[in-house]
């Protein structure tokens, strides 16, 4: 597990400013609300040519390193495009065999080298805790740059959790927000970093109830459950989706994370019991939402895509705007964008 605490919310100014983004536990309600509001603000500004050019001129002298040594489609592309929306130029390493790490350069020396050239390091690794190591290294050198965890092993995926909060917040905007909602998380909860990170953020909301729906060998891990208990977040665990489906305001579906299998454990699961198709839609509340971090496997029937409750494609796009908001906040331009003279609605 990572161990990065509140020191990564720097209080250099009156408003706490985000620096490293490593562990979702450092976020509080105010920062989450601010990020959601800012994400909506930038997506509206970007609708006009004038607005898009304004955004592109905000950070033209900044450079970002996208160090993604574990496969990714949407996190990589959404960060890459979030950078481009703000005028940030990007470099990337996606294949570690093209990096001097194959010549024996240490991870720490590689990260320090990136920091010689760029202003932010966005990284995804197969190993848990690597982004936290990189952040600690940055905190010990003369020219530290922020590190953003874009997925660390089966451990944490904090910016996915932020975009998930944004999606929940938008979806429930007319229904009192996230407070008081019943949120189901289904699938491989043991090895799913998205549901682990999202569970951590639930401490920021009032009267949320969580329903963990998973095969017993892939149940939510004790560390997350201990965190929920510590913060008084109610949760139940079940293997029976049918029993809880009509109660849910949101159903967050995940795939079996078979990339972490040692001996084909995922194959022991009858995924049909943890899947959504037309039969489940019929029993889901009319105003509930279905989320998925994607990529999906067979756990969501493509026939669900046309249903008004299917939120995963919007969720994916929300990720780009939330990552723009994160970058603006890290670079201290969040207040400027909030105050910019553009129409509030577009
Ligand atoms: N949701 C998510 O992290 O997707 P990618 O693995 O494609 O980045």
């Amino acid at each position: 597990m990572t161990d990065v605490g509140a020191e990564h919310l720097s209080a250099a100014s009156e408003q706490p400013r985000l620096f490293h983004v490593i562990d979702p536990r450092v976020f509080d309600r105010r920062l989450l609300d601010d990020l959601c509001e800012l994400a909506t603000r930038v997506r509206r500004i970007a609708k006009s040519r004038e607005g898009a050019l304004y955004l592109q001129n905000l950070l033209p002298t900044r450079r970002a390193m996208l160090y993604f040594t574990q496969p990714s489609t949407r996190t990589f592309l959404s960060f890459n495009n979030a950078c481009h929306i703000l005028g940030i130029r990007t470099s990337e390493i996606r294949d570690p065999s093209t990096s001097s790490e194959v010549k024996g350069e240490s991870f720490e020396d590689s990260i320090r080298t990136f920091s010689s050239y760029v202003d932010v390091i966005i990284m995804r690794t197969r190993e848990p805790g690597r982004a936290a190591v990189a952040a600690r290294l940055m905190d010990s050198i003369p020219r530290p740059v922020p590190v953003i965890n874009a997925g660390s092993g089966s451990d944490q995926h904090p910016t996915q959790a932020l975009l998930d909060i944004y999606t929940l917040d938008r979806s429930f905007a007319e229904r009192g927000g996230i407070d008081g909602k019943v949120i189901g998380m289904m699938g491989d909860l043991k090895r799913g970093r998205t549901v682990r990170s999202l569970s951590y953020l639930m401490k920021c909301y009032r009267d949320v109830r969580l329903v963990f729906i998973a095969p017993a060998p892939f149940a939510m891990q004790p560390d997350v459950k201990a965190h929920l208990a510590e913060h008084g977040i109610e949760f139940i665990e079940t293997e029976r989706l049918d029993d809880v489906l009509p109660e849910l305001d949101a159903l967050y579906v995940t795939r079996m994370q078979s990339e972490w299998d040692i001996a084909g454990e995922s194959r022991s699961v009858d995924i049909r019991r943890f899947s959504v198709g037309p039969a489940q839609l019929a029993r889901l509340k009319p105003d509930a939402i279905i989320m998925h971090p994607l990529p999906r496997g067979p756990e969501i029937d493509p026939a669900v895509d046309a249903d008004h409750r299917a939120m995963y494609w919007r969720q994916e796009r929300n990720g780009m705007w939330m990552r723009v908001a994160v970058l603006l906040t890290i670079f201290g331009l969040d207040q400027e964008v909030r105050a910019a003279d553009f129409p509030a609605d577009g």
Side-chain angles (χ1 to χ4, degrees):
M1 289 300 304
T2 55
D3 178 22
V4 173
E7 70 270 23
H8 290 120
L9 278 177
S10 147
S13 59
E14 240 174 68
Q15 286 279 75
R17 197 161 76 83
L18 208 51
F19 194 62
H20 303 306
V21 179
I22 304 299
D23 186 316
R25 282 171 287 192
V26 302
F27 288 94
D28 61 18
R29 177 68 179 265
R30 189 181 69 167
L31 188 49
L32 293 177
D33 286 348
D34 284 353
L35 286 166
C36 289
E37 190 195 340
L38 186 58
T40 297
R41 178 88 179 122
V42 288
R43 78 194 299 162
R44 288 175 178 163
I45 289 175
K47 282 185 177 177
S48 71
R49 178 181 161 79
E50 183 195 6
L53 290 174
Y54 162 78
L55 292 171
Q56 242 176 49
N57 279 310
L58 286 174
L59 291 165
T61 64
R62 299 294 189 161
R63 295 180 295 277
M65 177 71 199
L66 294 161
Y67 178 63
F68 275 61
T69 55
Q70 193 201 26
S72 166
T73 298
R74 66 224 88 230
T75 310
F76 176 82
L77 286 174
S78 62
F79 262 122
N80 201 31
N81 284 288
C83 287
H84 296 166
I85 285 167
L86 295 172
I88 301 171
R89 282 167 289 172
T90 53
S91 307
E92 65 187 59
I93 289 180
R94 302 201 67 180
D95 177 358
S97 73
T98 65
S99 138
S100 282
E101 283 181 90
V102 291
K103 298 180 218 160
E105 184 163 53
S106 68
F107 171 77
E108 287 80 0
D109 284 0
S110 297
I111 295 294
R112 187 159 182 170
T113 299
F114 301 156
S115 75
S116 296
Y117 305 127
V118 302
D119 303 291
V120 57
I121 298 170
I122 303 163
M123 57 185 290
R124 166 172 291 194
T125 60
R126 185 174 167 78
E127 304 79 15
R130 293 300 243 185
V133 171
R136 279 195 287 270
L137 171 69
M138 284 300 112
D139 290 342
S140 72
I141 66 173
R143 184 189 173 275
V145 304
V147 176
I148 302 177
N149 179 0
S152 50
S154 57
D155 179 19
Q156 294 298 329
H157 197 348
T159 62
Q160 175 75 42
L162 294 177
L163 76 90
D164 293 339
I165 288 292
Y166 184 40
T167 302
L168 289 163
D169 190 64
R170 280 172 75 79
S171 301
F172 298 140
E174 308 300 322
R175 296 170 53 200
I178 299 173
D179 295 328
K181 297 298 180 291
V182 181
I183 299 173
M185 299 187 192
M186 181 167 77
D188 184 347
L189 306 184
K190 178 181 177 181
R191 305 176 297 182
R193 58 192 172 197
T194 63
V195 282
R196 289 175 52 78
S197 287
L198 183 57
S199 296
Y200 279 145
L201 292 186
M202 288 302 147
K203 75 172 190 328
C204 301
Y205 299 90
R206 283 189 309 278
D207 303 325
V208 166
R209 283 184 292 141
L210 299 181
V211 181
F212 294 137
I213 310 145
F218 298 95
M220 185 57 87
Q221 289 280 276
D223 60 333
V224 174
K225 290 191 276 188
H227 176 89
L228 295 172
E230 186 189 330
H231 289 90
I233 312 292
E234 203 182 309
F235 66 89
I236 61 165
E237 297 181 274
T238 179
E239 290 193 69
R240 295 171 57 85
L241 174 63
D242 277 353
D243 289 354
V244 294
L245 191 55
E247 309 301 322
L248 303 179
D249 295 301
L251 175 57
Y252 192 110
V253 187
T254 65
R255 67 185 169 85
M256 293 305 297
Q257 311 280 315
S258 53
E259 63 270 38
W260 306 114
D261 280 2
I262 295 166
E265 300 89 315
S266 298
R267 289 199 296 273
S268 67
V269 173
D270 179 2
I271 196 64
R272 288 170 301 182
R273 295 174 52 216
F274 304 95
S275 297
V276 179
Q280 286 72 35
L281 288 181
R283 301 191 60 237
L284 194 61
K285 281 183 185 174
D287 56 359
I289 61 167
I290 303 164
M291 297 170 67
H292 194 303
L294 304 177
R296 70 171 149 191
E299 65 282 349
I300 294 190
D301 185 330
V304 174
D305 293 8
D307 192 277
H308 69 279
R309 293 165 289 185
M311 208 51 63
Y312 29 93
W313 299 114
R314 272 181 262 180
Q315 182 183 354
E316 171 177 90
R317 187 161 170 78
N318 287 343
M320 182 175 74
W321 298 115
M322 176 48 81
R323 285 165 176 138
V324 170
V326 167
L327 290 164
L328 282 171
T329 306
I330 284 174
F331 287 115
L333 290 179
D334 44 326
Q335 298 298 351
E336 179 179 324
V337 171
R338 278 197 188 91
D341 189 18
F342 284 95
D345 296 297

